[in-house]
């Protein structure tokens, strides 16, 4: 499974800047069998766990996150970059290689009784997802699972997500 799916992902060297090997999932998304396979796999990992909300991270986490929410019979909640959400919200900043970044969620998007699945396309250093988990916990919900299509395990992003049930479908263990 890992290798068949890997064949559908395009690696683009030095994008968006030198030294980054960008994993382009558009080549997988346009393949109807590939798209269906990853959605089924992600859904199988998360089903029967009582998930009430799927939180997707801007922007590529919206694609499979939205589809997953429908398949799981859950609601969908976007976590967005600053300035995009129109109503009352909370923010969390996190550290990047150079500087910091911030993400936001609507205050009323998640309720204390919610069982949440967080989803993004790719786990690199884990900073983005760690911040997203903090937002969900600030709103009092329980994090049931954190899932990714792709994991770059050589960057050790899981260290930032200790204590959560972290799943990924495709792993790259070296650069
Ligand atoms: P991080 O916070 O370091 O785990 O970065 C994760 C976020 O950055 C995800 O939303 C990814 O979409 C994006 N990202 C980081 N590295 C890559 C990469 N090599 N290829 C594609 N997207 C990446």
């Amino acid at each position: 499974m890992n290798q068949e799916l890997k064949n559908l992902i395009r690696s683009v060297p030095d994008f968006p800047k030198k030294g980054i090997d960008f994993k382009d999932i558009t080549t997988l998304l346009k393949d109807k069998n590939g798209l269906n396979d990853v959605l089924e796999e992600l859904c199988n990992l998360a089903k029967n766990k009582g998930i009430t909300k799927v939180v997707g991270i801007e922007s590529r986490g919206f694609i499979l996150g939205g589809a997953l929410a429908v398949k799981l019979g859950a609601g969908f909640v976007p976590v967005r970059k600053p300035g995009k959400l129109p109503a009352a919200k909370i923010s969390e900043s996190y550290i990047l290689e150079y500087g910091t970044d911030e993400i936001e969620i609507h205050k009323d998007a998640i309720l204390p009784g919610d069982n949440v699945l967080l989803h993004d396309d790719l786990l690199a250093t884990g900073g983005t997802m760690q911040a997203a988990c903090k937002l969900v916990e600030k709103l009092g919900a329980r994090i049931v699972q954190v899932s990714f299509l792709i994991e770059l395990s050589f960057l050790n992003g899981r260290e930032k997500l200790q204590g959560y049930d972290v799943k990924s479908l495709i792993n790259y263990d070296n650069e």
Side-chain angles (χ1 to χ4, degrees), residues 12 15-16 20-25 57-61 81 94-96 120-130 148 150 152 154-155 157 160:
V12 184
F15 183 88
I20 306 270
D21 191 41
F22 190 84
K23 303 301 180 204
D24 175 19
I25 62 167
I57 318 295
E58 184 168 357
S59 58
R60 287 182 296 275
K81 307 265 167 64
Y94 56 98
I95 295 166
L96 297 172
D120 201 0
D121 68 324
L122 185 141
L123 172 61
T125 66
T128 312
M129 188 54 89
Q130 184 184 36
F148 301 90
I150 301 170
L152 306 182
F154 58 91
L155 294 175
K160 290 208 178 74

Side-chain angles (χ1 to χ4, degrees), residues 139-152:
L139 294 175
R142 190 168 76 93
I143 295 174
V144 176
Q145 189 178 93
V146 178
S147 78
F148 301 90
L149 182 55
I150 301 170
E151 176 173 359
L152 306 182

Side-chain angles (χ1 to χ4, degrees), residues 24-38:
D24 175 19
I25 62 167
T26 63
T27 40
L28 182 148
L29 296 174
K30 73 175 179 181
D31 183 296
K32 66 178 181 184
N33 295 324
L35 177 60
N36 189 65
D37 287 351
V38 292

Side-chain angles (χ1 to χ4, degrees), residues 39-50:
L39 196 53
E40 283 295 319
E41 281 284 314
L42 289 167
C43 186
N44 284 339
L45 292 170
K47 69 183 180 191
N48 303 325
K49 292 182 188 286

Side-chain angles (χ1 to χ4, degrees), residues 39-40 42-44 46-48 51-56 61-77 117 119:
L39 196 53
E40 283 295 319
L42 289 167
C43 186
N44 284 339
K47 69 183 180 191
N48 303 325
I51 288 164
T52 55
K53 297 268 171 63
V54 177
V55 170
F62 292 171
I63 303 164
L64 292 173
L68 258 179
V70 175
K71 277 184 85 77
L72 292 169
F76 177 78
V77 173
L117 162 67
H119 176 79

